[in-house]
Amino acid sequence: MPAAADGDPGAVRTEPDAVSGEKRLTIGFAMDTLLEERWKKDRDLFVAAAAKLGADVKVKSAAGDDARQVAQAEAMISEGVDVLVVVPHNAESTAAIVSKAHKAGIKVLSYDRLITNADVDLYVSFDNVEVGRLQAQALVKLVPKGNYVYIGGADTDNNAHQFKDGAFEVLQPLISRGDIRVVYDQWSKDWKPMQALDNMREALRANGADGIDAVIVANDATAGGALQALEEYGLAGRIPVAGQDADVAAMRRIAAGTQTMTVYKPIGRLAEDTARLAVALANGDPAGATRRVNNGKIEVPSILLSPIAVDASNLDETVIADGFHSREDVYGAAGGE
């Protein structure tokens, strides 16, 4: 594991190349947060992938603070990183980072979340609209008619809007037909599980325990908050709940039957591909983008990976088989036997 740097628990770097003595490429990795399990995995996988390519990584976590993220990115730009990779907290405010990096001749890659209204050089993520589609498709199979609750992520995160777009792409024909009613629809500030808990409690108060048939939640952390509220009403495991990210807590809930499904995004591939593309950008090599995603200013060259729907039927063949989580982590010491 690379050593921590600069007294910041979110700062990670590889060691200099003492053998060749050549100046190693340095990637700045400006992250929104490291409070969630998922983002710690991204950091560690990205740093390891970059190290294999002979690149050092400076990692900074803004802990969900817009001004701090901009300041951290500016510091890395001043320090002369060769390329900047950004996981934006606020899709709009991080546009300032792109402008400042370009003035310094540094290219910017938007990681997993899209920076909006900026001349981003490359966007690497999963097909986030497809994530939402997979969530809705899974629940519609179980609940083709009924009352749905939608609890989104952070309104400031472009991904949260894409997840919702995908879900409602599936739901809307059924809504128009009168088969499905969305009885509650709200964002969760800063992706906080407590916000989702409050949202789900509010939905239950407004509709009653018998007035909700299915719940789609934008990620697994917030799904945990929603499920806490359902547990308070004795509804956990009785109402289908969809999440996303394949967090270990969610996998345990799926194994236990309280969460219906999640969407697994193989972040090992995302981290490895992004590290390779960041090195290519720094060296002026073409990225080979296959898609374009409009960010409000330009059609951003993009590479979008495919997400995978996971439930109890394919948990072993996906998340565990890939080594994303161990069998023991998901099933406990008995290993699901």
Side-chain angles (χ1 to χ4, degrees), residues 27-310:
I27 302 170
F29 196 15
M31 303 187 72
D32 164 23
T33 182
L34 286 169
L35 295 177
E36 293 179 19
E37 168 202 327
R38 181 262 157 102
W39 295 111
K40 292 175 184 175
K41 282 182 178 285
D42 284 82
R43 175 197 62 191
D44 295 345
L45 290 164
F46 183 84
V47 170
K52 288 180 183 177
L53 296 167
D56 293 335
V57 183
K58 290 185 176 182
V59 181
K60 292 290 183 180
S61 167
D65 186 304
D66 295 343
R68 186 179 183 191
Q69 184 164 43
V70 172
Q72 288 175 340
E74 287 176 343
M76 287 192 280
I77 292 166
S78 297
E79 289 162 8
V81 296
D82 296 287
V83 63
L84 190 60
V85 177
V86 181
V87 182
H89 172 253
N90 185 307
E92 286 270 359
S93 64
T94 42
I97 293 173
V98 181
S99 176
K100 288 170 184 176
H102 283 175
K103 286 176 183 175
I106 297 168
K107 291 185 176 179
V108 179
L109 189 156
S110 196
Y111 181 100
D112 193 61
R113 300 174 180 171
L114 183 62
I115 299 170
T116 58
N117 294 312
D119 296 311
V120 181
D121 296 286
L122 184 65
Y123 171 46
V124 186
S125 185
F126 290 90
D127 186 335
N128 295 314
V129 175
E130 179 65 9
V131 168
R133 288 192 200 105
L134 292 174
Q135 290 182 305
Q137 286 165 356
L139 292 204
V140 164
K141 283 181 183 176
L142 297 172
V143 186
K145 295 183 179 182
N147 293 342
Y148 275 61
V149 165
Y150 188 87
I151 297 177
D155 188 25
T156 55
D157 183 352
N158 189 66
N159 281 16
H161 290 270
Q162 291 182 319
F163 299 147
K164 185 175 182 179
D165 287 346
F168 276 80
E169 184 179 308
V170 173
L171 297 177
Q172 192 56 55
L174 298 169
I175 293 168
S176 298
R177 208 158 60 214
D179 291 342
I180 284 174
R181 288 178 62 230
V182 177
V183 296
Y184 186 87
D185 179 358
Q186 189 56 262
W187 302 103
S188 299
K189 181 177 170 59
D190 291 335
W191 291 98
K192 291 180 179 177
M194 285 299 296
Q195 290 285 323
L197 169 62
D198 290 342
N199 284 337
M200 193 68 234
R201 283 173 174 164
E202 189 173 84
L204 286 160
R205 284 194 299 268
N207 296 280
D210 297 326
I212 295 170
D213 301 299
V215 181
I216 300 175
V217 195
N219 77 351
D220 287 334
T222 46
L227 275 161
Q228 184 179 333
L230 290 172
E231 285 169 6
E232 293 169 357
Y233 279 71
L235 297 172
R238 292 173 54 193
I239 294 177
V241 176
Q244 178 251 144
D245 272 344
D247 284 355
V248 69
M251 304 319 300
R252 290 171 181 161
R253 293 192 295 262
I254 288 171
T258 55
Q259 183 169 326
T260 308
M261 65 85 68
T262 187
V263 180
Y264 169 46
K265 300 182 294 189
I267 60 174
R269 184 181 166 197
L270 175 66
E272 289 171 8
D273 283 4
T274 304
R276 174 179 55 79
L277 291 162
V279 169
L281 273 182
N283 290 327
D285 298 330
T290 55
R291 303 272 290 273
R292 299 270 167 174
V293 176
N294 190 291
N295 75 343
K297 184 175 183 182
I298 65 168
E299 296 290 329
V300 182
S302 304
I303 294 173
L304 303 180
L305 309 179
S306 297
I308 302 165
V310 173

